[in-house]
Amino acid sequence: MPSLTRAEANARAATVTVTGYDIALDLTGEGDTFRSRTVLTFGAEPGSDTFVELEPVTLLSATLNGAALDPSALAAERLTLTGLGADNELVVEGEMRYSNTGEGLHRFVDPADDRVYLYAHMFLDGARRIFPCFDQPDLKAPVTLSVTAPDGWLVAANGEQAGEVDGGRWRFAPTKPLATYFISLIAGPYHARTDEHDGIPLALYCRQALAEHLDEQADELFTITKQCLDRYHEIFDVRYPFGHYQQAFVPEFNFGAMENPGVVVFRDEFIYRSAVTDAEREQRAMVIAHEMAHQWFGDLVTMAWWDDLWLNESFAEYLGTRITAEATRFTGTWTTFAMQRKAWGMRADQRPSTHPVAPSDVDDTALALLNFDGISYAKGAAVLRQLVAYVGDKAFLAGLNDHFAAHAYGNATLADLLAAVSRSSGLDLSSWAELWLRRAQLNTLRAEVERTGDGRYAQVVIVQTAPDEHPTLRPHKLCLGLYDHGADGVVTRRRLVEVDVDPHADGGRTLVAELAGEPAADLLLVNDSDLTYAKVRLDPASAGAVPLILPLLDDSLARALLWGATLDAVIDGERPVAELVTLVLAALPAEREVAVVEDVLRMTRGLVDRYPAPETRPAALELVAQACDRLVAVAEPGSSLQLAGVRGLIGAGIDTVRLAGWLEGENVPAGVAVDADLRWLILYRLVVLGAAGSERIEAELAADRSAFGEQWAARCRAALPDAGAKARAWKLITEDLDASNRILDATAQGFWQPEQLDLVTPYAERYFTDIPAMLQRRPGMSGERVAVTAYPSVVVAERTRQLAAELLAEPGISSIVRRVVMDGDDDVRRALRARG
């Protein structure tokens, strides 16, 4: 399919006005297709021409204003419409194909019971796989849907059900105007739980195989949903605008969730079947709040084009974190944001593929897809937090409500939003937006400290720098935290100092005059409270105090910032990975915030897999394992901290006798349940280490014949230290069009193992020919995800970089290939630098 260009979208928006979609789907047929009939009504400039997107297996009929269209009008997944009238009716009937990629109408057969489940995912341009459409965000229209489904199925959609089901036909009331990428439905023998809150009907859906788990968790899910609705109603003048609020947990979903109005869709891993940590429950709550924020930012007011994606994702990321902290029991979400989400944005922002939060050059939908990254989500949210610090919360919320009132059920742009907040705050935000939203990359803030002979500050200067290729300095409103280590072993924050970092100061140097003459703190933390978005580097004395102070700090956000600064310095090659693992051993067992533990272990393990030389990696991994062992020993049995420590120990451990014993229930730490997912994690590690083989994998799968079991088995098969297993896994990744998106992703996850470099290194050569070919056959989100996961990042060698350079030099490579290879090569570059 040709990517829709911005010029084409602008021309089409100037030509047509869409008045409605009436879509009828018949899901009762056999095989891999379904039937779709659509009546699309729209106004147009008389005599003009345009096109709709459409991807049928067979076009059965198409009429425009009663006249049959020639079959040749459909080419390259576009149906050309000529000689339009002032008012037009397009009627199209076709056979459409189910998907196994998580796009279009995805079909899943549950291995647990052979039941069939469907869900529609239109994002970003997948609506053409279900019905003919003007597939761009600024051509919104009401949708009337009817679905004929097999007996015993449940169907839910954006609109509320209209009347009783008649002969298997489900009818839904017309919706408010929707962008095409929000139109959705689920269909199948879904299990349902219902409730009501503040006049809003609520529902939860999942597969029958997960029904008992949903029933156990429904009260928590409904409680979080109600708390978030109440808080949004407190801060927004417009109540939830789409009638009912349904949340469907569906299999093999590509994203964490999707904000379809009236029927929000989540990946069904959020219905937990095994023990999880409080950090994972917090993450689920934040995703619920994030998708709910989209009902205003994205659904009620929709971006006009994909360059304003930040109006959707940055606001949902910011509000999802904020509302979860304000309305639910998970009050520490800003710690998680600093540790995990903002760090994700910072990594993306330092890659060669970086782009502004609000880029002005998104010329087509292919480029738009690539911008769904840590910049559009997490960096944008961090920038919004800085905006709130700059204009004040009252003015910020007033501006948002003004924005909703002006653009409800329509479209808006960056200029519209800035105008609203400028009016409410009385500040001209144009220069602020230029520096923060229109320019890429990030600044580094360093404390430059001079002390007097008696231990006082002679001078404290915040030095702001920017990379040479992106030399933008920005205004930063931030805090400095002064932390002292007392004789009683307690660390206290003496005070917070508010600082306005001036981008126009000489040499990027902002003097903190308020600290002159004050007793020097043991640790001076730049950006305490995490109000701004920047890399932070501590002064030498403060950096030296981190191992002593970090385990004793009460403030989890301050601890997250110190961990984040340490990890970032290692990633940048400023500090060795050996220093990191030593700090992990010293401080992580004392950490009280499970989200911090999980993310430190995840990041450290990734660095240990790539940054040390192969001969020194085992020693680094052993220190990580020791830290996890200590954490398990001191954590309360059955606690989230204990579970996080056990998982970390499994991932870093090499004691196969101990791990095999756990799998048999021997010497398991008290409080740890070796449930389905923990069993698979143990087995996966044993497979990687060569202590379990194919027979054990198949036996485990026979005991866990589930969707999750199949994914775990695919990951384990790919991890087998066997040449035949690697060949089979690579063939599946690169050639199999029948495998689902999730099986391919699991296989790619298991393939590259630093313990198996002799086996996998030859595949680094093959990646640069086989993966671009795979993306020709499997374009879109599913293919991109596999390409990212399958990148040979563990083959840290100049040859890997040379192969990347040769591919990037080829003319005509796709934007997806270019982005994935540029970013993967940057990871290898950093690892080589660390080894050097």
Side-chain angles (χ1 to χ4, degrees):
M1 175 186 176
S3 184
L4 181 68
T5 69
R6 184 172 193 165
E8 289 173 324
N10 288 341
R12 191 161 61 175
T15 300
V16 304
T17 303
V18 190
T19 54
Y21 291 92
D22 193 321
I23 304 167
L25 304 179
D26 186 344
L27 310 178
T28 59
E30 299 293 329
D32 63 352
T33 63
F34 61 97
R35 182 163 291 203
S36 169
R37 183 181 188 276
T38 300
V39 179
L40 169 54
T41 56
F42 62 99
E45 181 181 343
S48 62
D49 302 338
T50 190
F51 63 90
V52 294
E53 286 87 351
L54 178 64
E55 187 183 351
V57 177
T58 304
L59 179 61
L60 300 175
S61 66
T63 63
L64 177 63
N65 299 328
L69 297 179
D70 189 284
S72 65
L74 178 64
E77 299 168 17
R78 291 180 174 185
L79 182 64
T80 301
L81 309 177
T82 61
L84 299 176
D87 297 299
N88 303 273
E89 180 181 84
L90 174 68
V91 182
V92 175
E93 188 165 358
E95 291 283 344
M96 319 298 285
R97 193 180 307 280
Y98 292 115
S99 161
N100 67 352
T101 65
E103 300 154 296
L105 191 56
H106 185 90
R107 184 178 187 270
F108 171 80
V109 181
D110 195 336
D113 52 22
D114 293 326
R115 290 183 168 108
V116 175
Y117 295 90
L118 309 176
Y119 63 85
H121 185 49
M122 309 296 191
F123 180 88
L124 174 141
D125 54 3
R128 70 186 191 278
R129 300 182 180 196
I130 300 177
F131 62 96
C133 57
F134 297 110
D135 202 2
Q136 58 191 74
D138 59 341
L139 291 178
K140 300 171 73 171
V143 178
T144 304
L145 176 69
S146 66
V147 178
T148 303
D151 291 341
W153 278 26
L154 176 152
V155 182
N158 305 100
E160 297 185 276
Q161 187 176 333
E164 297 295 323
V165 178
D166 183 12
R169 185 166 182 259
W170 298 68
R171 294 178 296 108
F172 298 92
T175 68
K176 297 290 187 180
L178 302 180
T180 46
Y181 75 95
F182 291 137
I183 300 169
S184 190
L185 71 139
I186 63 167
Y190 281 92
H191 175 66
R193 290 291 300 268
T194 59
D195 204 341
E196 182 274 340
H197 181 67
D198 195 17
I200 302 170
L202 306 177
L204 305 170
Y205 303 109
C206 75
R207 293 180 283 130
Q208 291 292 337
L210 296 174
E212 65 174 306
H213 304 298
L214 176 61
D215 288 345
E216 292 168 357
Q217 298 163 47
D219 285 349
E220 179 179 348
L221 292 167
F222 278 133
T223 295
I224 291 167
T225 301
K226 295 171 185 179
Q227 290 170 331
C228 291
L229 279 169
D230 287 346
R231 183 62 184 138
Y232 281 117
H233 287 163
E234 288 172 0
I235 65 173
F236 293 157
D237 295 340
V238 178
R239 282 175 52 84
Y240 168 68
F242 296 105
H244 59 183
Y245 197 78
Q246 305 172 105
Q247 297 173 101
F249 297 85
V250 302
E252 299 185 331
F253 197 60
N254 277 326
F255 291 174
M258 181 66 195
E259 64 268 20
N260 311 307
V263 58
V264 179
V265 175
F266 299 79
R267 60 169 50 210
D268 65 9
E269 285 87 346
F270 282 129
I271 303 300
Y272 307 124
R273 66 169 192 159
S274 298
V276 295
T277 66
D278 261 2
E280 289 168 293
R281 291 184 181 275
E282 177 195 76
Q283 176 63 24
R284 180 172 70 178
M286 286 194 290
V287 174
I288 290 172
H290 175 114
E291 303 308 323
M292 195 178 291
H294 274 309
Q295 306 306 308
W296 288 265
F297 279 101
D299 297 3
L300 176 67
V301 181
T302 307
M303 60 194 169
W305 180 246
W306 299 105
D307 57 335
D308 277 327
L309 169 65
W310 82 287
L311 289 173
N312 287 13
E313 298 304 344
S314 298
F315 279 86
E317 184 84 3
Y318 167 79
L319 288 164
T321 304
R322 171 178 172 163
I323 297 304
T324 304
E326 293 176 352
T328 77
R329 71 180 179 90
F330 301 106
T331 58
T333 54
W334 286 116
T335 295
T336 304
F337 179 82
M339 190 75 234
Q340 183 184 101
R341 303 297 287 180
K342 193 178 77 167
W344 171 43
M346 291 169 68
R347 295 286 77 73
D349 208 12
Q350 296 174 79
R351 295 186 184 277
S353 61
T354 186
H355 59 85
V357 172
S360 57
D361 56 352
V362 181
D363 293 332
D364 59 33
T365 53
L367 290 174
L369 178 62
L370 296 178
N371 287 347
F372 280 78
D373 59 12
I375 296 170
S376 296
Y377 283 73
K379 176 183 178 178
V383 169
L384 286 175
R385 199 171 194 209
Q386 175 67 184
L387 176 62
V388 173
Y390 183 59
V391 304
D393 195 55
K394 183 177 180 180
F396 176 71
L397 294 178
L400 300 191
N401 282 309
D402 183 11
H403 184 66
F404 298 147
H407 304 286
Y409 303 108
N411 299 87
T413 65
L414 166 64
D416 295 324
L417 188 280
L418 290 177
V421 180
S422 292
R423 285 192 298 271
S424 63
S425 65
L427 298 172
D428 182 356
L429 296 176
S430 55
S431 61
W432 182 95
E434 173 63 27
L435 296 174
W436 279 107
L437 301 176
R438 293 297 197 192
R439 299 190 189 180
Q441 259 277 1
L442 72 165
N443 303 118
T444 300
L445 301 175
R446 301 176 186 268
E448 191 175 276
V449 177
E450 295 179 15
R451 289 176 170 82
T452 63
D454 60 352
R456 296 179 178 272
Y457 287 125
Q459 179 175 273
V460 175
V461 176
I462 305 301
V463 181
Q464 179 180 190
T465 58
D468 292 341
E469 63 274 21
H470 296 279
T472 299
L473 299 184
R474 298 174 175 88
H476 296 266
K477 183 175 285 290
L478 54 81
C479 294
L480 303 181
L482 280 66
Y483 289 89
D484 299 316
H485 182 267
D488 55 0
V490 176
V491 170
T492 58
R493 182 169 68 188
R494 186 196 315 162
R495 62 183 297 209
L496 278 175
V497 179
E498 294 185 2
V499 178
D500 289 323
V501 175
D502 184 359
H504 306 297
D506 183 34
R509 300 168 61 84
T510 299
L511 177 67
V512 188
E514 185 176 349
L515 289 180
E518 182 160 332
D522 292 317
L523 186 146
L524 180 67
L525 178 55
V526 179
N527 195 31
D528 202 357
S529 304
D530 200 27
L531 296 181
T532 197
Y533 171 81
K535 296 165 66 171
V536 167
R537 294 292 183 265
L538 305 178
D539 66 277
S542 295
V546 168
L548 176 65
I549 287 181
L550 180 58
L552 303 174
L553 268 175
D554 284 336
D555 189 323
S556 66
L557 179 54
R559 296 197 306 273
L561 293 170
L562 291 173
W563 278 114
T566 301
L567 287 160
D568 189 66
V570 174
I571 292 169
D572 281 356
E574 296 178 14
R575 294 189 177 276
V577 73
E579 185 176 306
L580 170 63
V581 295
T582 301
L583 182 63
V584 167
L585 181 62
L588 199 69
E591 178 56 54
R592 286 87 77 196
E593 191 71 32
V594 67
V596 174
V597 168
E598 290 179 334
D599 216 58
V600 168
L601 287 175
R602 179 184 63 82
M603 291 291 295
T604 302
R605 176 63 195 280
L607 292 169
V608 166
D609 282 351
R610 295 178 290 112
Y611 277 38
E615 61 271 17
T616 61
R617 177 179 177 271
L621 199 62
E622 173 60 22
L623 290 179
V624 176
Q626 288 181 27
C628 294
D629 231 341
R630 293 181 184 180
L631 177 61
V632 172
V634 300
E636 181 181 347
S639 67
S640 291
L641 285 171
Q642 184 194 46
L643 179 56
V646 165
R647 289 173 175 170
L649 181 56
I650 293 167
I654 59 171
D655 186 344
T656 57
V657 173
R658 183 186 193 186
L659 293 178
W662 283 6
L663 206 54
E664 301 302 325
E666 300 171 359
N667 301 316
V668 179
V672 175
V674 185
D675 50 30
D677 288 317
L678 200 63
R679 288 186 62 83
W680 277 113
L681 188 64
I682 295 169
L683 179 58
Y684 178 60
R685 185 60 179 162
L686 290 171
V687 167
V688 169
L689 296 173
S694 296
E695 289 186 5
R696 190 60 190 266
I697 296 170
E698 301 312 316
E700 196 68 31
L701 178 59
D704 181 22
R705 185 61 69 179
S706 68
F708 305 137
E710 287 202 333
Q711 292 163 31
W712 268 115
R715 189 177 179 188
C716 288
R717 293 184 194 113
L720 284 164
D722 171 80
K726 294 299 181 187
R728 289 188 294 273
W730 193 253
K731 183 177 178 66
L732 179 71
I733 291 167
T734 58
E735 298 181 20
D736 195 328
L737 295 180
D738 294 325
S740 75
N741 56 329
R742 200 56 66 78
I743 294 298
L744 287 176
D745 190 44
T747 303
Q749 288 175 22
F751 187 87
W752 300 101
Q753 301 294 338
E755 291 88 352
Q756 301 168 1
L757 285 178
D758 288 346
L759 274 175
V760 300
T761 294
Y763 287 92
E765 299 264 350
R766 295 184 59 176
Y767 177 94
F768 297 96
T769 55
D770 294 353
I771 292 299
M774 178 275 292
L775 286 168
Q776 292 292 321
R777 298 186 293 271
R778 186 181 281 265
M781 291 175 285
S782 175
E784 180 191 10
R785 172 66 182 171
V786 172
V788 170
T789 309
Y791 198 86
S793 296
V794 300
V795 185
V796 181
E798 289 293 349
R799 177 59 179 161
T800 308
R801 295 209 66 204
Q802 179 185 350
L803 291 164
E806 290 171 358
L807 178 57
L808 291 171
E810 292 183 8
I813 63 172
S814 73
S815 55
I816 290 178
V817 171
R818 182 172 298 281
R819 174 73 170 267
V820 171
V821 173
M822 285 172 60
D823 289 351
D825 177 62
D826 188 59
D827 286 339
V828 176
R829 176 188 66 82
R830 287 173 178 269
L832 280 168
R833 182 177 64 184
R835 291 185 180 186

